[in-house]
């Protein structure tokens, strides 16, 4: 259970991220997919991470401290990838920031790759997950904005996504279905993180 959540620091590069032994979990995905909103939903604080209707809001690596003492862990809000309007230079800069964080952050226990449940599988997300696989970065998939589609469409889209994944992956990753708006799937996410923490001896 999340008792407290506090902003710690924003960084432009993994090299300056907090030196700590806390297990760390990060949210990643396309710009505007709902990373910051989901962080706020699971922490029960709409003002914790900055959100926006316009893509490209989060531009740094943001650390949040969840709980204190023996139960403490870090939750990280990352910038989105692939936002066209920011221009190639900015896009490349963010991609380097994301890639370096994923590869070099030793405290990172699991990455949550957020996918908008309304869309067909997108090449950019599939390629990003393949890159994670090649680099042995553990990840789970979190479908977002589930409140924006009907139940039938939702399960159709998710089945379709799973089929697409199985074209390249032997096994499916852990999958969550969430709505930050309706606070759905948030408890499952937190339980999952806590179960990993328990396995780590936290
Ligand atoms: P960047 O920081 O730009 O990469 O975006 P982000 O992935 O952090 O997205 P953010 O949380 O800022 O949300 C983008 C927009 O989607 C905002 O207008 C949110 O209100 C909206 N949004 C996020 N999650 C949900 C959801 O579960 N349901 C609905 N209906 N809207 C959502
Ligand atoms: Mg954001």
């Amino acid at each position: 259970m999340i008792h407290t959540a506090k902003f710690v620091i924003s960084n432009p590069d993994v090299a300056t991220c907090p030196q700590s032994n806390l297990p760390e979990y990060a949210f990643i995905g396309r710009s505007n997919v709902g990373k910051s909103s989901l962080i706020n939903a699971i922490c029960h604080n709409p003002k914790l991470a900055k959100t926006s209707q316009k893509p490209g809001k989060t531009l740094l690596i943001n650390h949040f401290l969840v709980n204190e003492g023996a139960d403490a862990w870090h939750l990280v809000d990352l910038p989105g990838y692939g936002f066209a309007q920011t221009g190639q230079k900015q896009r490349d800069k963010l991609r380097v920031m994301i890639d370096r964080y994923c590869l070099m952050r030793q405290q990172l226990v699991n990455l949550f790759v957020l996918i908008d449940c309304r869309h067909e599988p997108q090449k950019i997300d599939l390629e990003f997950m393949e890159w994670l696989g090649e680099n042995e970065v553990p990840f789970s998939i979190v479908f977002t904005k589930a409140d924006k589609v009907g139940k039938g469409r939702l399960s159709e889209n998710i089945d379709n996504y799973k089929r697409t994944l199985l074209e390249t992956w032997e096994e499916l990753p852990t999958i969550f279905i969430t709505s930050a708006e309706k606070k759905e799937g948030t408890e499952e996410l937190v339980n999952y993180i806590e179960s990993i923490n328990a396995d780590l001896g936290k």
Side-chain angles (χ1 to χ4, degrees), residues 22-115:
L22 297 181
E24 192 159 303
Y25 299 86
F27 283 20
I28 185 67
R30 299 182 78 180
S31 205
N32 209 45
V33 69
K35 300 174 291 296
S36 304
S37 302
L38 194 58
I39 285 183
N40 292 346
I42 72 172
C43 295
H44 312 290
N45 179 351
K47 294 201 173 130
L48 190 64
K50 294 204 180 78
T51 65
S52 169
Q53 281 172 307
K54 283 192 259 158
K57 181 69 180 173
T58 311
L59 297 171
L60 294 165
I61 303 165
N62 297 288
H63 274 76
F64 299 94
L65 175 67
V66 176
N67 295 336
E68 290 183 32
D71 291 339
W73 46 279
H74 273 144
L75 183 55
V76 173
D77 191 13
L78 293 167
Y81 52 72
F83 175 48
Q85 263 86 327
T86 45
Q88 189 68 37
K89 221 174 156 189
Q90 167 81 339
R91 210 159 57 227
D92 290 350
K93 196 176 117 188
L94 291 180
R95 192 54 201 250
V96 169
M97 196 191 294
I98 292 165
D99 289 3
R100 278 174 56 82
Y101 172 85
C102 293
L103 296 178
M104 295 166 74
R105 187 67 175 161
Q106 294 198 334
Q107 294 88 337
L108 179 66
V109 176
N110 192 59
L111 200 63
F112 292 93
V113 179
L114 275 59
I115 308 272

Side-chain angles (χ1 to χ4, degrees), residues 116-133:
D116 189 324
C117 74
R118 293 173 295 175
H119 308 315
E120 291 273 304
Q122 309 276 310
K123 202 169 160 219
I124 192 166
D125 297 315
L126 297 169
E127 285 180 354
F128 181 72
M129 288 186 272
E130 277 169 39
W131 178 83
L132 292 175

